[in-house]
Short mmCIF file of all heavy atoms in Angstrom, two decimals:
data_model
loop_
_atom_site.label_atom_id
_atom_site.label_comp_id
_atom_site.label_asym_id
_atom_site.label_seq_id
_atom_site.Cartn_x
_atom_site.Cartn_y
_atom_site.Cartn_z
N MET A 1 -16.55 2.33 -14.26
CA MET A 1 -15.98 2.22 -15.60
C MET A 1 -14.82 3.18 -15.74
O MET A 1 -14.76 4.19 -15.07
CB MET A 1 -17.03 2.53 -16.66
CG MET A 1 -18.23 1.62 -16.62
SD MET A 1 -19.23 1.81 -18.10
CE MET A 1 -18.53 0.54 -19.12
N LYS A 2 -13.94 2.84 -16.66
CA LYS A 2 -12.77 3.70 -16.93
C LYS A 2 -12.89 4.31 -18.31
O LYS A 2 -13.36 3.67 -19.26
CB LYS A 2 -11.50 2.88 -16.84
CG LYS A 2 -11.07 2.66 -15.42
CD LYS A 2 -9.61 2.26 -15.37
CE LYS A 2 -9.13 2.39 -13.95
NZ LYS A 2 -8.59 1.29 -13.32
N LEU A 3 -12.42 5.53 -18.40
CA LEU A 3 -12.41 6.25 -19.67
C LEU A 3 -10.99 6.24 -20.22
O LEU A 3 -10.07 6.75 -19.57
CB LEU A 3 -12.87 7.69 -19.43
CG LEU A 3 -13.07 8.57 -20.65
CD1 LEU A 3 -14.26 8.07 -21.47
CD2 LEU A 3 -13.30 10.01 -20.22
N THR A 4 -10.83 5.63 -21.39
CA THR A 4 -9.53 5.73 -22.03
C THR A 4 -9.55 6.95 -22.95
O THR A 4 -10.55 7.22 -23.62
CB THR A 4 -9.17 4.47 -22.84
OG1 THR A 4 -10.04 4.36 -23.95
CG2 THR A 4 -9.27 3.23 -21.99
N VAL A 5 -8.48 7.70 -22.91
CA VAL A 5 -8.41 8.97 -23.62
C VAL A 5 -7.15 9.02 -24.46
O VAL A 5 -6.04 8.90 -23.94
CB VAL A 5 -8.38 10.16 -22.61
CG1 VAL A 5 -8.37 11.49 -23.36
CG2 VAL A 5 -9.55 10.08 -21.64
N ASP A 6 -7.33 9.17 -25.76
CA ASP A 6 -6.19 9.35 -26.66
C ASP A 6 -6.06 10.85 -26.94
O ASP A 6 -6.68 11.39 -27.83
CB ASP A 6 -6.42 8.58 -27.96
CG ASP A 6 -5.27 8.76 -28.94
OD1 ASP A 6 -4.28 9.46 -28.61
OD2 ASP A 6 -5.36 8.21 -30.05
N ARG A 7 -5.26 11.49 -26.10
CA ARG A 7 -5.16 12.95 -26.20
C ARG A 7 -4.50 13.37 -27.51
O ARG A 7 -4.69 14.51 -27.96
CB ARG A 7 -4.42 13.51 -24.99
CG ARG A 7 -5.26 13.31 -23.72
CD ARG A 7 -4.50 13.63 -22.47
NE ARG A 7 -4.44 15.07 -22.23
CZ ARG A 7 -3.93 15.59 -21.11
NH1 ARG A 7 -3.48 14.80 -20.16
NH2 ARG A 7 -3.89 16.89 -20.95
N THR A 8 -3.74 12.49 -28.12
CA THR A 8 -3.10 12.86 -29.39
C THR A 8 -4.13 12.91 -30.52
O THR A 8 -3.88 13.53 -31.55
CB THR A 8 -1.99 11.85 -29.78
OG1 THR A 8 -2.58 10.58 -30.04
CG2 THR A 8 -0.96 11.73 -28.67
N ALA A 9 -5.30 12.27 -30.31
CA ALA A 9 -6.34 12.28 -31.34
C ALA A 9 -7.20 13.54 -31.28
O ALA A 9 -7.86 13.90 -32.25
CB ALA A 9 -7.24 11.05 -31.19
N CYS A 10 -7.20 14.21 -30.13
CA CYS A 10 -8.08 15.37 -29.94
C CYS A 10 -7.69 16.50 -30.88
O CYS A 10 -6.52 16.91 -30.94
CB CYS A 10 -8.01 15.85 -28.49
SG CYS A 10 -9.01 17.32 -28.20
N GLN A 11 -8.70 17.01 -31.59
CA GLN A 11 -8.50 18.15 -32.50
C GLN A 11 -9.18 19.41 -31.99
O GLN A 11 -9.31 20.40 -32.71
CB GLN A 11 -9.04 17.81 -33.90
CG GLN A 11 -8.32 16.64 -34.55
CD GLN A 11 -6.86 16.95 -34.84
OE1 GLN A 11 -6.54 18.00 -35.38
NE2 GLN A 11 -5.97 16.04 -34.46
N GLY A 12 -9.68 19.34 -30.75
CA GLY A 12 -10.27 20.53 -30.13
C GLY A 12 -11.68 20.85 -30.59
O GLY A 12 -12.10 22.00 -30.52
N HIS A 13 -12.44 19.85 -31.03
CA HIS A 13 -13.81 20.11 -31.49
C HIS A 13 -14.73 20.55 -30.36
O HIS A 13 -15.72 21.25 -30.59
CB HIS A 13 -14.39 18.86 -32.16
CG HIS A 13 -13.67 18.45 -33.39
ND1 HIS A 13 -13.61 19.24 -34.52
CD2 HIS A 13 -12.95 17.34 -33.67
CE1 HIS A 13 -12.90 18.62 -35.44
NE2 HIS A 13 -12.48 17.47 -34.96
N GLY A 14 -14.46 20.09 -29.15
CA GLY A 14 -15.23 20.53 -27.99
C GLY A 14 -16.61 19.91 -27.84
O GLY A 14 -17.38 20.29 -26.97
N ARG A 15 -16.94 18.94 -28.68
CA ARG A 15 -18.29 18.35 -28.61
C ARG A 15 -18.48 17.52 -27.35
O ARG A 15 -19.59 17.43 -26.82
CB ARG A 15 -18.54 17.49 -29.84
CG ARG A 15 -18.57 18.30 -31.11
CD ARG A 15 -18.93 17.45 -32.29
NE ARG A 15 -18.64 18.15 -33.53
CZ ARG A 15 -18.78 17.60 -34.73
NH1 ARG A 15 -19.17 16.35 -34.84
NH2 ARG A 15 -18.51 18.31 -35.79
N CYS A 16 -17.41 16.90 -26.87
CA CYS A 16 -17.50 16.11 -25.64
C CYS A 16 -17.92 17.01 -24.48
O CYS A 16 -18.84 16.67 -23.72
CB CYS A 16 -16.17 15.43 -25.35
SG CYS A 16 -14.75 16.55 -25.34
N PHE A 17 -17.28 18.14 -24.36
CA PHE A 17 -17.60 19.09 -23.30
C PHE A 17 -19.01 19.64 -23.47
O PHE A 17 -19.74 19.84 -22.50
CB PHE A 17 -16.58 20.23 -23.29
CG PHE A 17 -16.86 21.28 -22.27
CD1 PHE A 17 -16.57 21.08 -20.93
CD2 PHE A 17 -17.43 22.49 -22.65
CE1 PHE A 17 -16.84 22.05 -19.99
CE2 PHE A 17 -17.70 23.46 -21.71
CZ PHE A 17 -17.40 23.25 -20.38
N ALA A 18 -19.42 19.87 -24.71
CA ALA A 18 -20.74 20.45 -24.98
C ALA A 18 -21.86 19.53 -24.49
O ALA A 18 -22.87 20.00 -23.98
CB ALA A 18 -20.91 20.73 -26.48
N VAL A 19 -21.68 18.21 -24.63
CA VAL A 19 -22.76 17.29 -24.25
C VAL A 19 -22.60 16.76 -22.82
O VAL A 19 -23.57 16.28 -22.24
CB VAL A 19 -22.89 16.10 -25.24
CG1 VAL A 19 -23.22 16.61 -26.63
CG2 VAL A 19 -21.66 15.22 -25.24
N ALA A 20 -21.39 16.83 -22.25
CA ALA A 20 -21.18 16.27 -20.91
C ALA A 20 -20.04 17.00 -20.20
O ALA A 20 -18.98 16.42 -19.95
CB ALA A 20 -20.90 14.77 -21.00
N PRO A 21 -20.27 18.25 -19.81
CA PRO A 21 -19.20 19.03 -19.18
C PRO A 21 -18.77 18.49 -17.83
O PRO A 21 -17.67 18.78 -17.37
CB PRO A 21 -19.82 20.44 -19.05
CG PRO A 21 -21.30 20.21 -19.09
CD PRO A 21 -21.51 19.01 -19.98
N GLU A 22 -19.63 17.68 -17.19
CA GLU A 22 -19.28 17.12 -15.89
C GLU A 22 -18.20 16.06 -15.99
O GLU A 22 -17.57 15.70 -15.01
CB GLU A 22 -20.51 16.57 -15.16
CG GLU A 22 -21.22 15.41 -15.84
CD GLU A 22 -22.29 15.84 -16.84
OE1 GLU A 22 -21.97 16.57 -17.79
OE2 GLU A 22 -23.44 15.37 -16.68
N VAL A 23 -17.98 15.54 -17.20
CA VAL A 23 -16.98 14.48 -17.41
C VAL A 23 -15.79 14.97 -18.24
O VAL A 23 -14.64 14.62 -17.95
CB VAL A 23 -17.61 13.26 -18.11
CG1 VAL A 23 -16.56 12.18 -18.38
CG2 VAL A 23 -18.76 12.69 -17.27
N PHE A 24 -16.06 15.79 -19.25
CA PHE A 24 -15.04 16.10 -20.25
C PHE A 24 -14.56 17.55 -20.13
O PHE A 24 -14.99 18.43 -20.87
CB PHE A 24 -15.60 15.84 -21.66
CG PHE A 24 -15.98 14.40 -21.87
CD1 PHE A 24 -17.28 13.98 -21.66
CD2 PHE A 24 -15.03 13.47 -22.25
CE1 PHE A 24 -17.64 12.65 -21.84
CE2 PHE A 24 -15.38 12.13 -22.43
CZ PHE A 24 -16.69 11.72 -22.22
N GLN A 25 -13.66 17.77 -19.19
CA GLN A 25 -13.10 19.11 -19.04
C GLN A 25 -12.06 19.37 -20.14
O GLN A 25 -11.36 18.45 -20.57
CB GLN A 25 -12.43 19.28 -17.67
CG GLN A 25 -13.39 19.18 -16.50
CD GLN A 25 -13.67 17.75 -16.11
OE1 GLN A 25 -12.83 16.88 -16.26
NE2 GLN A 25 -14.87 17.50 -15.60
N LEU A 26 -11.99 20.62 -20.58
CA LEU A 26 -11.03 21.02 -21.60
C LEU A 26 -9.96 21.90 -21.00
O LEU A 26 -10.17 22.55 -19.97
CB LEU A 26 -11.75 21.78 -22.73
CG LEU A 26 -12.92 21.07 -23.40
CD1 LEU A 26 -13.49 21.94 -24.52
CD2 LEU A 26 -12.52 19.71 -23.95
N ASP A 27 -8.81 21.96 -21.67
CA ASP A 27 -7.76 22.87 -21.19
C ASP A 27 -8.00 24.28 -21.77
O ASP A 27 -8.99 24.51 -22.48
CB ASP A 27 -6.37 22.32 -21.53
CG ASP A 27 -6.09 22.25 -23.03
OD1 ASP A 27 -6.79 22.93 -23.82
OD2 ASP A 27 -5.16 21.52 -23.41
N ASP A 28 -7.11 25.19 -21.47
CA ASP A 28 -7.31 26.59 -21.88
C ASP A 28 -7.31 26.77 -23.39
O ASP A 28 -7.81 27.77 -23.91
CB ASP A 28 -6.21 27.47 -21.27
CG ASP A 28 -6.37 27.60 -19.76
OD1 ASP A 28 -7.46 27.29 -19.24
OD2 ASP A 28 -5.39 28.02 -19.11
N ASP A 29 -6.74 25.80 -24.10
CA ASP A 29 -6.71 25.87 -25.57
C ASP A 29 -7.87 25.12 -26.22
O ASP A 29 -7.95 25.05 -27.45
CB ASP A 29 -5.38 25.31 -26.09
CG ASP A 29 -4.20 26.14 -25.60
OD1 ASP A 29 -4.31 27.38 -25.62
OD2 ASP A 29 -3.19 25.56 -25.20
N GLY A 30 -8.74 24.52 -25.41
CA GLY A 30 -9.91 23.83 -25.95
C GLY A 30 -9.68 22.37 -26.29
O GLY A 30 -10.52 21.76 -26.96
N TYR A 31 -8.59 21.83 -25.80
CA TYR A 31 -8.32 20.40 -26.01
C TYR A 31 -8.65 19.62 -24.74
O TYR A 31 -8.66 20.19 -23.65
CB TYR A 31 -6.85 20.18 -26.39
CG TYR A 31 -6.52 20.69 -27.76
CD1 TYR A 31 -6.18 22.02 -27.96
CD2 TYR A 31 -6.57 19.86 -28.87
CE1 TYR A 31 -5.90 22.51 -29.22
CE2 TYR A 31 -6.29 20.33 -30.14
CZ TYR A 31 -5.95 21.66 -30.31
OH TYR A 31 -5.68 22.14 -31.56
N ILE A 32 -8.89 18.32 -24.94
CA ILE A 32 -9.31 17.50 -23.80
C ILE A 32 -8.24 17.49 -22.71
O ILE A 32 -7.05 17.31 -22.99
CB ILE A 32 -9.68 16.07 -24.27
CG1 ILE A 32 -10.37 15.30 -23.16
CG2 ILE A 32 -8.48 15.31 -24.81
CD1 ILE A 32 -11.74 15.82 -22.80
N ALA A 33 -8.69 17.68 -21.47
CA ALA A 33 -7.76 17.72 -20.34
C ALA A 33 -7.90 16.49 -19.44
O ALA A 33 -7.17 16.38 -18.45
CB ALA A 33 -8.00 19.00 -19.53
N VAL A 34 -8.83 15.60 -19.78
CA VAL A 34 -9.06 14.41 -18.95
C VAL A 34 -7.94 13.40 -19.18
O VAL A 34 -7.55 13.15 -20.33
CB VAL A 34 -10.43 13.79 -19.29
CG1 VAL A 34 -10.67 12.53 -18.47
CG2 VAL A 34 -11.55 14.80 -19.06
N HIS A 35 -7.45 12.82 -18.09
CA HIS A 35 -6.35 11.87 -18.20
C HIS A 35 -6.83 10.48 -18.62
O HIS A 35 -7.93 10.06 -18.24
CB HIS A 35 -5.61 11.77 -16.87
CG HIS A 35 -4.89 13.03 -16.51
ND1 HIS A 35 -3.77 13.46 -17.17
CD2 HIS A 35 -5.18 13.98 -15.60
CE1 HIS A 35 -3.37 14.61 -16.67
NE2 HIS A 35 -4.21 14.96 -15.72
N ASP A 36 -5.99 9.80 -19.37
CA ASP A 36 -6.25 8.43 -19.77
C ASP A 36 -6.41 7.56 -18.52
O ASP A 36 -5.62 7.67 -17.58
CB ASP A 36 -5.08 7.92 -20.61
CG ASP A 36 -5.34 6.55 -21.18
OD1 ASP A 36 -6.49 6.27 -21.56
OD2 ASP A 36 -4.39 5.76 -21.24
N GLY A 37 -7.46 6.73 -18.50
CA GLY A 37 -7.68 5.83 -17.38
C GLY A 37 -8.49 6.42 -16.24
O GLY A 37 -8.62 5.81 -15.19
N THR A 38 -9.06 7.60 -16.47
CA THR A 38 -9.88 8.24 -15.43
C THR A 38 -11.08 7.36 -15.08
O THR A 38 -11.77 6.86 -15.97
CB THR A 38 -10.37 9.63 -15.92
OG1 THR A 38 -9.24 10.48 -16.07
CG2 THR A 38 -11.37 10.25 -14.96
N GLU A 39 -11.32 7.19 -13.80
CA GLU A 39 -12.48 6.43 -13.33
C GLU A 39 -13.73 7.30 -13.47
O GLU A 39 -13.74 8.46 -13.06
CB GLU A 39 -12.27 6.06 -11.87
CG GLU A 39 -13.25 5.05 -11.33
CD GLU A 39 -13.03 3.64 -11.88
OE1 GLU A 39 -11.87 3.24 -12.08
OE2 GLU A 39 -14.04 2.97 -12.12
N VAL A 40 -14.78 6.73 -14.09
CA VAL A 40 -16.04 7.46 -14.26
C VAL A 40 -17.00 7.03 -13.15
O VAL A 40 -17.26 5.84 -12.98
CB VAL A 40 -16.66 7.16 -15.64
CG1 VAL A 40 -18.00 7.88 -15.79
CG2 VAL A 40 -15.70 7.57 -16.75
N ARG A 41 -17.52 8.00 -12.42
CA ARG A 41 -18.47 7.68 -11.35
C ARG A 41 -19.74 7.10 -11.96
O ARG A 41 -20.14 7.47 -13.07
CB ARG A 41 -18.82 8.94 -10.56
CG ARG A 41 -17.64 9.52 -9.80
CD ARG A 41 -18.04 10.75 -9.04
NE ARG A 41 -18.61 11.77 -9.96
CZ ARG A 41 -19.16 12.90 -9.55
NH1 ARG A 41 -19.25 13.18 -8.28
NH2 ARG A 41 -19.63 13.76 -10.43
N GLU A 42 -20.39 6.23 -11.19
CA GLU A 42 -21.59 5.54 -11.69
C GLU A 42 -22.62 6.54 -12.20
O GLU A 42 -23.24 6.34 -13.27
CB GLU A 42 -22.18 4.69 -10.55
CG GLU A 42 -23.18 3.66 -11.02
CD GLU A 42 -22.59 2.67 -12.02
OE1 GLU A 42 -21.43 2.24 -11.84
OE2 GLU A 42 -23.29 2.35 -13.00
N GLU A 43 -22.81 7.62 -11.49
CA GLU A 43 -23.83 8.60 -11.87
C GLU A 43 -23.44 9.39 -13.13
O GLU A 43 -24.26 10.10 -13.69
CB GLU A 43 -24.14 9.56 -10.71
CG GLU A 43 -22.95 10.36 -10.22
CD GLU A 43 -22.23 9.69 -9.05
OE1 GLU A 43 -22.10 8.45 -9.03
OE2 GLU A 43 -21.78 10.44 -8.16
N ASP A 44 -22.18 9.28 -13.54
CA ASP A 44 -21.73 10.01 -14.73
C ASP A 44 -21.58 9.12 -15.97
O ASP A 44 -21.18 9.61 -17.03
CB ASP A 44 -20.37 10.67 -14.45
CG ASP A 44 -20.50 11.84 -13.49
OD1 ASP A 44 -21.60 12.42 -13.39
OD2 ASP A 44 -19.49 12.17 -12.84
N VAL A 45 -21.91 7.83 -15.85
CA VAL A 45 -21.69 6.92 -16.97
C VAL A 45 -22.52 7.30 -18.19
O VAL A 45 -22.02 7.29 -19.32
CB VAL A 45 -21.95 5.45 -16.54
CG1 VAL A 45 -22.01 4.53 -17.75
CG2 VAL A 45 -20.86 4.99 -15.59
N ALA A 46 -23.78 7.67 -18.00
CA ALA A 46 -24.63 8.04 -19.14
C ALA A 46 -24.05 9.26 -19.85
O ALA A 46 -24.00 9.31 -21.09
CB ALA A 46 -26.06 8.31 -18.68
N ALA A 47 -23.60 10.24 -19.08
CA ALA A 47 -23.00 11.44 -19.67
C ALA A 47 -21.71 11.08 -20.40
O ALA A 47 -21.43 11.58 -21.49
CB ALA A 47 -22.73 12.48 -18.58
N ALA A 48 -20.93 10.19 -19.80
CA ALA A 48 -19.68 9.77 -20.44
C ALA A 48 -19.95 9.10 -21.79
O ALA A 48 -19.24 9.35 -22.76
CB ALA A 48 -18.92 8.82 -19.51
N ARG A 49 -21.00 8.28 -21.84
CA ARG A 49 -21.34 7.62 -23.12
C ARG A 49 -21.70 8.67 -24.17
O ARG A 49 -21.34 8.53 -25.34
CB ARG A 49 -22.52 6.66 -22.93
CG ARG A 49 -22.18 5.42 -22.15
CD ARG A 49 -23.32 4.40 -22.28
NE ARG A 49 -23.30 3.42 -21.23
CZ ARG A 49 -22.42 2.40 -21.16
NH1 ARG A 49 -21.53 2.25 -22.10
NH2 ARG A 49 -22.46 1.56 -20.17
N ARG A 50 -22.42 9.69 -23.77
CA ARG A 50 -22.78 10.76 -24.72
C ARG A 50 -21.51 11.42 -25.27
O ARG A 50 -21.40 11.68 -26.47
CB ARG A 50 -23.64 11.83 -24.04
CG ARG A 50 -25.08 11.46 -23.82
CD ARG A 50 -25.96 12.68 -23.58
NE ARG A 50 -25.54 13.50 -22.45
CZ ARG A 50 -25.88 13.25 -21.18
NH1 ARG A 50 -26.64 12.22 -20.89
NH2 ARG A 50 -25.47 14.05 -20.22
N GLY A 51 -20.59 11.70 -24.40
CA GLY A 51 -19.36 12.35 -24.82
C GLY A 51 -18.51 11.48 -25.72
O GLY A 51 -17.92 11.96 -26.69
N VAL A 52 -18.45 10.20 -25.40
CA VAL A 52 -17.68 9.25 -26.23
C VAL A 52 -18.24 9.26 -27.65
O VAL A 52 -17.49 9.33 -28.63
CB VAL A 52 -17.74 7.84 -25.62
CG1 VAL A 52 -17.19 6.80 -26.60
CG2 VAL A 52 -16.96 7.80 -24.31
N ARG A 53 -19.58 9.21 -27.76
CA ARG A 53 -20.22 9.18 -29.08
C ARG A 53 -20.05 10.50 -29.82
O ARG A 53 -20.06 10.54 -31.05
CB ARG A 53 -21.71 8.87 -28.93
CG ARG A 53 -22.02 7.41 -28.67
CD ARG A 53 -23.49 7.12 -28.94
NE ARG A 53 -24.38 7.93 -28.14
CZ ARG A 53 -24.88 7.57 -26.95
NH1 ARG A 53 -24.58 6.38 -26.46
NH2 ARG A 53 -25.66 8.36 -26.28
N ALA A 54 -19.95 11.60 -29.08
CA ALA A 54 -19.93 12.93 -29.69
C ALA A 54 -18.61 13.28 -30.35
O ALA A 54 -18.56 14.16 -31.22
CB ALA A 54 -20.26 13.98 -28.63
N CYS A 55 -17.54 12.60 -29.97
CA CYS A 55 -16.22 12.99 -30.49
C CYS A 55 -16.01 12.44 -31.91
O CYS A 55 -15.94 11.23 -32.10
CB CYS A 55 -15.11 12.48 -29.59
SG CYS A 55 -13.48 12.91 -30.25
N PRO A 56 -15.86 13.32 -32.89
CA PRO A 56 -15.66 12.86 -34.27
C PRO A 56 -14.29 12.22 -34.50
O PRO A 56 -14.08 11.53 -35.50
CB PRO A 56 -15.83 14.13 -35.11
CG PRO A 56 -15.53 15.25 -34.18
CD PRO A 56 -15.94 14.78 -32.80
N GLU A 57 -13.37 12.44 -33.58
CA GLU A 57 -12.02 11.88 -33.72
C GLU A 57 -11.88 10.54 -32.99
O GLU A 57 -10.79 9.94 -32.99
CB GLU A 57 -10.97 12.86 -33.18
CG GLU A 57 -11.06 14.26 -33.77
CD GLU A 57 -10.81 14.29 -35.28
OE1 GLU A 57 -10.16 13.37 -35.80
OE2 GLU A 57 -11.28 15.25 -35.90
N ARG A 58 -12.96 10.10 -32.33
CA ARG A 58 -12.96 8.83 -31.58
C ARG A 58 -11.80 8.78 -30.58
O ARG A 58 -11.06 7.79 -30.53
CB ARG A 58 -12.90 7.64 -32.53
CG ARG A 58 -14.06 7.67 -33.49
CD ARG A 58 -14.07 6.50 -34.41
NE ARG A 58 -15.22 6.59 -35.31
CZ ARG A 58 -15.88 5.54 -35.76
NH1 ARG A 58 -15.53 4.34 -35.39
NH2 ARG A 58 -16.89 5.70 -36.55
N ALA A 59 -11.69 9.82 -29.82
CA ALA A 59 -10.59 9.92 -28.85
C ALA A 59 -10.84 9.11 -27.58
O ALA A 59 -9.90 8.93 -26.80
CB ALA A 59 -10.39 11.39 -28.47
N PHE A 60 -12.08 8.62 -27.39
CA PHE A 60 -12.43 7.96 -26.12
C PHE A 60 -12.93 6.54 -26.31
O PHE A 60 -13.53 6.21 -27.34
CB PHE A 60 -13.56 8.73 -25.42
CG PHE A 60 -13.32 10.19 -25.27
CD1 PHE A 60 -14.12 11.10 -25.94
CD2 PHE A 60 -12.29 10.66 -24.46
CE1 PHE A 60 -13.90 12.46 -25.80
CE2 PHE A 60 -12.08 12.01 -24.31
CZ PHE A 60 -12.89 12.92 -24.98
N GLN A 61 -12.75 5.76 -25.24
CA GLN A 61 -13.45 4.48 -25.08
C GLN A 61 -13.83 4.35 -23.62
O GLN A 61 -13.13 4.86 -22.74
CB GLN A 61 -12.53 3.31 -25.45
CG GLN A 61 -12.21 3.20 -26.91
CD GLN A 61 -11.33 1.99 -27.17
OE1 GLN A 61 -11.59 0.90 -26.68
NE2 GLN A 61 -10.28 2.20 -27.91
N LEU A 62 -14.93 3.67 -23.38
CA LEU A 62 -15.35 3.34 -22.01
C LEU A 62 -15.12 1.86 -21.80
O LEU A 62 -15.52 1.04 -22.64
CB LEU A 62 -16.83 3.65 -21.81
CG LEU A 62 -17.19 5.00 -21.23
CD1 LEU A 62 -18.69 5.15 -21.16
CD2 LEU A 62 -16.57 5.22 -19.85
N LYS A 63 -14.48 1.52 -20.69
CA LYS A 63 -14.18 0.12 -20.41
C LYS A 63 -14.54 -0.24 -18.99
O LYS A 63 -14.43 0.59 -18.09
CB LYS A 63 -12.69 -0.15 -20.63
CG LYS A 63 -12.28 0.01 -22.07
CD LYS A 63 -10.90 -0.50 -22.32
CE LYS A 63 -10.62 -0.51 -23.82
NZ LYS A 63 -9.23 -0.74 -24.12
N ASP A 64 -14.97 -1.48 -18.79
CA ASP A 64 -15.30 -1.97 -17.45
C ASP A 64 -14.04 -2.10 -16.60
O ASP A 64 -12.98 -2.36 -17.11
CB ASP A 64 -15.99 -3.31 -17.54
CG ASP A 64 -17.42 -3.15 -18.04
OD1 ASP A 64 -18.08 -2.18 -17.64
OD2 ASP A 64 -17.84 -3.99 -18.85
FE1 F3S B 1 -11.26 16.73 -28.55
FE2 F3S B 1 -13.08 15.10 -29.44
FE3 F3S B 1 -13.58 16.53 -27.35
S1 F3S B 1 -11.71 16.27 -30.68
S2 F3S B 1 -12.37 18.38 -27.52
S3 F3S B 1 -12.00 14.97 -27.51
S4 F3S B 1 -14.97 16.16 -29.04
#
């Protein structure tokens, strides 16, 4: 699956990283550092779903 990331939507809440640090790395300022279109490994899909749901700004989508 691919993770679409709208970095302009990120407000630095950090909830994605809090629930799934293996998928949602942050930059030094606490904003999402994951690139749009990043491939999610099969073993990380459940964690990615948690992170997608956790973001109050809806910065992410998971797509096949
Ligand atoms: Fe940003 Fe949402 Fe994560 S606002 S730091 S992408 S929880």
Side-chain angles (χ1 to χ4, degrees):
M1 300 193 92
K2 280 198 166 123
L3 186 68
T4 67
V5 182
D6 179 1
R7 293 171 79 173
T8 66
C10 178
Q11 298 295 313
H13 296 296
R15 295 185 194 175
C16 53
F17 178 77
V19 299
E22 63 272 57
V23 177
F24 298 95
Q25 295 83 31
L26 304 182
D27 65 19
D28 291 344
D29 297 318
Y31 290 85
I32 191 68
V34 178
H35 293 288
D36 186 38
T38 294
E39 192 72 36
V40 178
R41 295 180 303 174
E42 196 59 41
E43 60 266 38
D44 289 337
V45 168
R49 289 192 200 285
R50 284 199 302 276
V52 169
R53 283 196 302 268
C55 178
E57 307 297 336
R58 302 182 180 214
F60 309 115
Q61 290 181 47
L62 266 178
K63 295 191 171 169
D64 287 320

